[in-house]
């Protein structure tokens, strides 16, 4: 089109010259895009180990490597190789801190890692198999992934597992000393004292792995479990839980696999996933079949501040007064938890009051005894655990979901635990722990029942009534009761009060209640009152926790008839729930929402799917086609 | 494409080009009828997530940017005193006027209730809106352009006294034109300031108004060069000697200016990136597209303009002008369609319907026809002998 | 010329960048909105996805009958947005476990500083004192800039209307709330997942709900500050982005995004003419001086030439005169000599 224009001869060459930078620019851009294509893998596997031990040598130059352990063990297993490919062995035991060789500095450590990892990849690659990243592909390993913690669960022993371990090792290894040990400072060695075994984390508390430099030992020193590291002897803390657990457990499992008879060996887990994968339903281990682990624990105990508590009455016996001691059914509670450390959270199996004093102290982690027992959102406190149970079990959650989180709600409930019949602290100090235990057992038997009535004083059969009157003057009337009268009187005064049982209440309540309020667009609801009360009652009947705390038979009603005193004739919903969004009480639901929220939320919590919340006709028929009535 | 003016006695020849143009016109009229009787939904692919489509992007945004030659050229000649470009003023102003007239025509298609277009000025203004700014300035500027081009018509009609009055207003009109152009060109960029959440960070910057204004200068310069070449090729017989003498100078001078302005524009874009720390986006797919736009359609024409101006290679300059114009068009498309709604899933993205393309082509054809009509009759490419005093 | 143009452009660019500086000095204040303005609090933990709110909205607003009835819950299987027939829709999400859906109701959020109102060039939107953002179709031109501007992608357009298309958007039932009634959706909801009341009360209530049940709610009220604050607030038990609510919108209101640049407009109008006029006059002056100098040079050159010419002429004339005299003298001499010779002849 522009052929009429003559271009200068010089400019033709120059024009080509300027095109080159342009082409290079475009190519650079393309390369840039290609190289930086999104290469993050979401770390969602429980076997990812973050190799960040180079931190010991100073700030990291590249991000730590997220190492997929199970993947590697699988590949190696496919080649017939085991742990020895990467982990050194000392005296038949593997050291699971990687390589365990000594490295003086950053460069050496880096070379060591690269020599181990990349050389293996190169071997794989050169044999035509798919391999991990090779030299030069630094960022394929050193990339910022976000490890998804939701699929990773910390592993540990619980009562069921412990019972299994005991079963499998009883014949071969015999004593508890196979795993349980304690450090004897006198002999500078690890010994086992029968009957005083503790959880591992009682001493091995540190969670994080120790940095590389502090783990280096020369190969000829003893490295296998149990090992006393030079650092510990020098006064540092014992090795971290993660390290000792793998050293002890995995090595033993490996041995078990090889030596156990009847193919039982395969039960011992060695892959990361088999211990660390968070399962959807962590509860539900077979507690019922686990025999009670006897370690000299009492069946019952009295919980009160110890005699050495700075605040106890012994310091100031005249003026100090404390809450009554709590009789605690230890045997019953053992069946309700997975492991001892659910409550004895330091794995030390001591009484709570050893560390938690009346006033918060360093030893108790600045948690006072009151907080340790009563904090509602802790997993370790009494109230916290009780609350968790009410919210996590469908048969309880239907009513308890409406409860207020704040505590104390009702100080009348304190005496359920703090038994008024408990002895005074002065007395407690003089009792031995065995005596206290026996006393606690007795108190537990009589808990909740009305205290025995005091003996009646002798009733007078003859007495005189004195009257002073202005008109008639002072009069006296001698009274003499007949023996029938006396018997009748005695009977009335000693009669046990009537105890209403929930079952009786249910018998007497209406079968269905027709809710006709607001029946405008939608018809009345025939509410199966008795059936619902009955199913709630059944959920409570066998549960010891419910029996302990549902003191009044009307507690059954208070799940729905809430915010009102317990009564056989509790108020209807409309007593308090009227128009919504009022100025005085903006947070209170209107009547329609109160009905629906109570029913639907209870169904949701109790995992009742029929009737579905959105199935209006299951409960009431729609009478009109429009739902808004105040428009034309 | 060859237009032959019909002299008296000659038959109207049906050439393939005329057939094509006629077809476009017919199709355009049909789609127009559909648009105004069946509504926007029947003719466009616009939806609730993408209310602005091809018409706004091409006919409004690109149209306004490419019609910027008017204010650039008249400013160069009348304000900066570069009289050797004098012969380019009228064609540029004519292009500007027709361009803006077509923008307004396109708006009547795109806007839901076109007869209410005067409402913001007559009934109820909404001055917090950048669109108000655009509308007001475009309306005023259209008037200014009309006045600026009217001397050509008045000369054709022989109204010399009226013409004299209008010519006396030249300086005022030119300054007004630059002011109004600055305002509405930058306001078109300002339209997108309100949607940082919908515009890709590489294209969104608080400097959008400045970027749109500066790139409109580039568009104006390049369009004048480009249209100068086309005019000479197809309407050269209408040009007088002064035009022909200076056309090369025009190309070279505007190329110099274009190179400088493109460099400035590139720098503004870089500053925008740095201010918002958007560097990490360059490594993505959109980033590659952005680098292509900046590298191939801003940096490259900048270099080529400089080269062409130095070597006095008018052919290179003309092709570079095409590249620069495409770059501006690409930028407007990117801001309005490609990088807009980038966060939506691909099945929710918009692509124009064939009828939208028809109307856009139809409007451009109308523009070209009008330009040809005016230029072949009125003293635009030549000076009317009676008034050749400048 | 090249230099002049360059300098002129540089100065103009400088003025342009200076004028661009956003005039935000006086706009750091947060606009709290009219006092006692109403709002709605949506609690996603209460919503059961029954779609009665959609039906309530349809009934009170006279919207067209939908294709599928409101009790058809299978529509929740695909994501919907408010469109030309529905001011509000409910969507279902599975943010956590596969069988536990969470529902969310989408509608206009009635921002405190609405983007739609800021962007409308005929001021068709009004943020009323009650808190509702209402739309006036009688002035709307149909430019659809409000749809571009809305960060929540709410306004819908009746594209199928040929003669009078309009925007369709939730109105918070402004006429109803003016009469003291509840918005249609709020009235219809059986679970009171929607709470209507003064906005500050709703914020108190929302905070109280979070405090009472921290496991149930994410500790954030969506809409408290997003885009400068909205009158429609959201509480949720799962992260908001999992419910389709954008959490990357920031807290700057839409008008503030443009107010800086708009403030530059009068600056341009004021400075540009001065600058350009200045350039013009300087150029003109230079041209004038150049032409004057040229004229003077020409005149002086001309005069010099003329003088030279005159001197030349004089010299030539004198020379001619001299020659003439010499010729005359020669002729006289010749005549005398002849006369003398003739005399001599006669004598002999």
């Amino acid at each position: 089109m522009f052929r009429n224009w003559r271009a200068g001869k010089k400019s033709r060459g120059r024009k080509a010259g300027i095109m080159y930078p342009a082409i290079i620019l475009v190519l650079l851009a393309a390369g840039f895009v290609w190289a930086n294509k999104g290469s993050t893998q979401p770390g969602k596997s429980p076997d990812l180990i973050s190799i960040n031990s180079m931190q010991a040598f100073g700030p990291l130059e590249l991000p730590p490597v997220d190492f997929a352990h199970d993947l590697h063990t699988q590949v190696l297993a496919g080649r017939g190789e085991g742990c020895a490919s990467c982990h050194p062995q000392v005296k038949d035991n593997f050291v699971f801190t990687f390589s365990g060789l000594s490295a003086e500095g950053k460069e050496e450590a880096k070379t060591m890692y690269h020599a181990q990892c990349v050389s293996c990849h190169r071997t794989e690659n050169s044999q035509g198999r798919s391999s991990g990243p090779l030299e030069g592909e630094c960022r394929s390993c050193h990339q910022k992934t976000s490890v998804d913690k939701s699929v990773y669960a910390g592993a540990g022993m619980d009562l069921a597992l412990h019972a299994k371990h005991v079963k499998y090792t009883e014949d071969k290894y015999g004593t508890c000393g196979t795993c349980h040990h304690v450090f004897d400072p006198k002999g500078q060695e690890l010994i086992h004292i029968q009957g005083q075994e503790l959880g591992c984390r009682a001493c091995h508390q540190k969670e994080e792995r120790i940095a590389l430099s502090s783990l280096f030992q020369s190969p000829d020193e003893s490295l296998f479990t149990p090992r006393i590291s030079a650092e510990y002897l020098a006064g540092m803390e014992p090795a971290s839980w993660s390290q000792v657990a793998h050293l002890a457990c995995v090595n033993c499992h490996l041995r078990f696999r090889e030596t156990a008879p009847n193919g039982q060996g395969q039960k011992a887990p060695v892959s990361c996933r088999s211990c660390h994968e968070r399962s959807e339903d962590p509860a539900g281990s077979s507690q019922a079949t686990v025999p009670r682990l006897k370690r000299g624990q009492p069946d019952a105990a009295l919980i009160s501040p110890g005699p050495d508590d700075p605040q106890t009455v012994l310091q100031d016996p005249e003026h100090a007064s404390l809450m009554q001691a709590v009789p605690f059914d230890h045997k019953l509670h053992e069946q309700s938890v997975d492991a001892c450390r659910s409550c004895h959270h330091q794995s030390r199996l001591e009484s709570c009051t050893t560390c938690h004093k009346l006033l918060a102290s360093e030893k108790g982690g600045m948690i006072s005894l009151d907080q340790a027992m009563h904090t509602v959102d802790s997993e370790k406190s009494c109230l916290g655990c009780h609350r968790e149970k009410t919210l996590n079990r469908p048969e309880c959650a239907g009513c308890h979901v409406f409860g207020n989180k704040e505590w104390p709600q009702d100080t009348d409930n304190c005496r359920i635990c703090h038994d008024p019949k408990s002895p005074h602290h002065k007395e407690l100090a003089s009792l031995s722990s065995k005596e206290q235990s026996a006393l606690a057992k007795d108190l537990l038997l009589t808990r909740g029942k009305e205290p025995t009535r005091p003996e009646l004083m002798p009733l007078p059969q003859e007495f005189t009534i004195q009257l002073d009157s202005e008109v008639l003057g002072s009069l006296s009337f001698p009274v003499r009761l007949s023996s029938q009268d006396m018997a009748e009187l005695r009977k009335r005064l000693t009669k046990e009060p009537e105890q209403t049982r929930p079952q009786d209440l249910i018998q007497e309540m209406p079968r269905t209640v027709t809710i006709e309020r607001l029946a405008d667009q939608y018809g009345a609801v025939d509410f199966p009152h008795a059936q619902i009360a009955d199913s709630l009652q059944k959920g409570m009947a066998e549960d010891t926790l419910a029996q302990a705390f549902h003191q009044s038979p009307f507690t059954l009603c208070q799940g729905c008839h809430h915010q009102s005193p317990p009564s056989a004739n509790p108020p209807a919903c409309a007593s308090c729930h009227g128009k919504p969004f009022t100025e005085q009480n903006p947070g209170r639901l209107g009547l329609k929402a109160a009905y629906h929220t109570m029913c639907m939320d209870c169904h949701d919590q109790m995992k009742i799917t029929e009737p579905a919340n959105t199935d209006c006709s299951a409960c009431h028929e729609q009478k009109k086609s429009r739902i808004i009535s105040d428009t034309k | 494409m060859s237009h032959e003016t019909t002299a008296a006695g000659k038959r109207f020849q049906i050439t393939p080009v005329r057939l094509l143009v006629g077809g476009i016109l017919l199709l355009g009229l049909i789609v127009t009828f559909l648009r105004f009787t069946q509504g926007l939904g029947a003719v466009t692919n616009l939806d609730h997530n993408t209310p602005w489509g091809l018409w706004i992007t091409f006919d409004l945004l690109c149209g306004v940017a490419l019609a910027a030659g008017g204010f650039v050229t008249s400013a160069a000649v009348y304000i900066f005193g570069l009289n050797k470009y004098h012969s380019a003023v009228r064609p540029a102003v004519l292009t500007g006027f027709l361009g803006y007239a077509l923008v307004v025509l396109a708006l009547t298609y795109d806007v839901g209730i076109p007869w209410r277009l005067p409402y913001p000025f007559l009934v109820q203004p909404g001055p917090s809106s950048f669109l108000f700014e655009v509308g007001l300035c475009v309306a005023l500027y259209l008037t200014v352009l009309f006045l600026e081009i009217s001397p050509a018509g008045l000369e054709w009609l022989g109204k010399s006294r009226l013409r004299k009055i209008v010519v006396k207003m030249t300086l005022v009109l030119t300054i007004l034109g630059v002011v109004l152009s600055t305002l509405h060109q930058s306001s078109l960029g300002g339209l997108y300031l309100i949607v940082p959440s919908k515009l890709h960070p590489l294209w969104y910057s608080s400097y959008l108004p400045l970027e749109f204004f500066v790139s409109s200068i580039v568009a104006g310069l390049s369009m004048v060069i480009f249209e100068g070449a086309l005019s000479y090729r197809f309407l050269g017989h209408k040009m007088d000697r002064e035009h022909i003498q200076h056309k090369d100078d025009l190309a070279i001078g505007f190329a110099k200016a274009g190179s400088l302005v493109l460099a400035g524009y590139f720098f503004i874009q870089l500053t925008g990136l740095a201010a918002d720390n958007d560097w990490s986006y360059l490594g993505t797919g959109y980033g590659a597209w952005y680098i292509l736009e900046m590298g191939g359609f801003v940096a490259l024409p900048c270099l080529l303009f400089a080269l062409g101006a130095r070597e006095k290679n008018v052919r290179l300059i003309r092709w570079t002008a095409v590249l620069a114009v495409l770059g501006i068009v690409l930028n407007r498309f990117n801001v309005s369609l490609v990088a807009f709604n980038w966060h939506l899933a691909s099945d929710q993205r918009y692509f124009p319907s064939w009828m939208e393309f028809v109307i856009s082509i139809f409007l451009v054809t109308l523009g070209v026809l009008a330009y040809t009509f005016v230029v072949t009759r009125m003293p635009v490419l030549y000076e009317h002998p009676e008034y050749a005093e400048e | 010329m090249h230099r002049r143009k360059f300098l002129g452009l540089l100065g103009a660019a400088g003025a342009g960048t200076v004028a661009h500086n956003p005039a935000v000095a006086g706009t750091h204040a947060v606009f709290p909105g009219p006092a006692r303005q109403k709002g709605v609090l949506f609690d996603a933990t209460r919503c059961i996805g029954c779609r009665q709110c959609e039906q309530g909205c349809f009934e009170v607003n006279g919207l067209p009958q939908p294709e599928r009835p409101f009790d058809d819950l299978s529509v929740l299987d695909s994501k919907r947005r408010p469109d030309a027939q529905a001011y509000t829709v409910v969507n279902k999400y599975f943010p956590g476990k596969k069988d536990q859906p969470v529902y969310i109701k989408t509608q206009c959020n009635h921002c405190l500083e609405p983007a739609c109102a800021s962007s409308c060039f005929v001021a068709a939107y009004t943020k009323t004192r009650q808190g509702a953002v209402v739309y006036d179709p009688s002035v709307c031109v149909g430019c659809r800039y409000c749809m571009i501007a809305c960060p929540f992608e709410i306004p819908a357009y009746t594209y199928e209307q040929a003669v009078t298309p309009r925007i369709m958007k939730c109105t918070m039932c402004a006429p109803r709330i003016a009469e003291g009634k509840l918005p249609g959706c709020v009235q219809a909801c059986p679970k009171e997942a929607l709470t209507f009341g003064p906005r500050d009360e709703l914020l108190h209530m929302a905070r109280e709900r979070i405090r009472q049940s921290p496991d149930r709610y994410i500790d954030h009220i969506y809409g408290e500050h997003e885009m400068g604050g909205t009158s429609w607030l959201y509480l949720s038990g799962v992260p908001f982005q999992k419910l389709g609510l954008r959490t990357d919108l920031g807290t700057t209101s839409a008008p503030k995004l443009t107010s800086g640049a708009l403030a530059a407009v009068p600056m341009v109008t004021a400075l540009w003419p001065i600058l350009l006029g200045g350039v013009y006059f300087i150029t003109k002056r230079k041209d004038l001086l150049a032409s004057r100098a040229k004229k003077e040079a020409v005149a002086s050159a001309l005069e010099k030439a003329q003088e030279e010419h005159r001197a030349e002429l004089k010299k030539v004339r004198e020379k001619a005169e001299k020659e003439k005299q010499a010729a005359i003298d020669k002729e006289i001499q010749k005549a005398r000599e002849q006369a003398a010779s003739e005399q001599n002849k006669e004598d002999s």
Side-chain angles (χ1 to χ4, degrees), chain A residues 296-419:
Chain A
Q297 70 271 37
D299 286 352
L302 280 173
I303 302 181
S304 70
D308 59 339
D309 190 312
Q311 295 282 97
T312 60
V313 67
L314 293 176
Q315 300 284 335
D316 186 3
E318 297 307 316
H319 297 111
S321 163
L322 300 172
M323 287 289 278
Q324 296 90 341
V326 174
F328 179 64
D329 194 341
H330 195 272
K331 184 172 174 190
L332 174 74
H333 282 81
E334 278 177 49
Q335 295 161 8
S336 319
V337 295
D338 288 338
C340 304
R341 66 171 181 278
S342 302
C343 301
H344 297 280
H345 53 97
Q346 299 277 25
S347 299
R348 275 208 283 268
L349 304 179
E350 312 164 310
S351 158
C352 317
T353 51
T354 314
C355 299
H356 293 291
K357 306 295 182 196
L358 281 171
L359 273 187
S361 64
E362 281 279 346
K363 193 169 175 205
M366 300 314 282
I367 305 267
S368 68
L369 182 60
D370 154 56
Q371 286 170 322
M373 300 289 115
H374 301 127
T375 307
V376 190
D377 47 15
S378 159
E379 289 170 339
K380 306 187 273 270
S381 72
C382 307
L383 287 191
C385 184
H386 288 169
R387 181 178 152 81
E388 204 215 327
K389 295 242 182 272
T390 59
L391 292 179
N392 286 350
R393 293 187 296 177
E395 60 267 27
C396 313
C399 295
H400 280 275
V401 75
F402 295 104
N404 216 335
K405 182 198 167 240
E406 284 162 354
W407 178 89
Q409 298 156 311
D410 183 2
T411 49
D412 206 35
N413 282 344
C414 302
R415 63 175 170 76
I416 297 175
C417 293
H418 292 272
D419 200 321

Side-chain angles (χ1 to χ4, degrees), chain B residues 49 52 116 124 129 182 191, chain C residues 81 119 122 140 143 145 272:
Chain B
N49 288 333
W52 283 358
R116 286 193 192 165
Q124 186 172 280
S129 166
T182 312
L191 287 178
Chain C
R81 59 150 283 160
S119 65
V122 281
C140 175
C143 73
Y145 187 31
W272 236 183

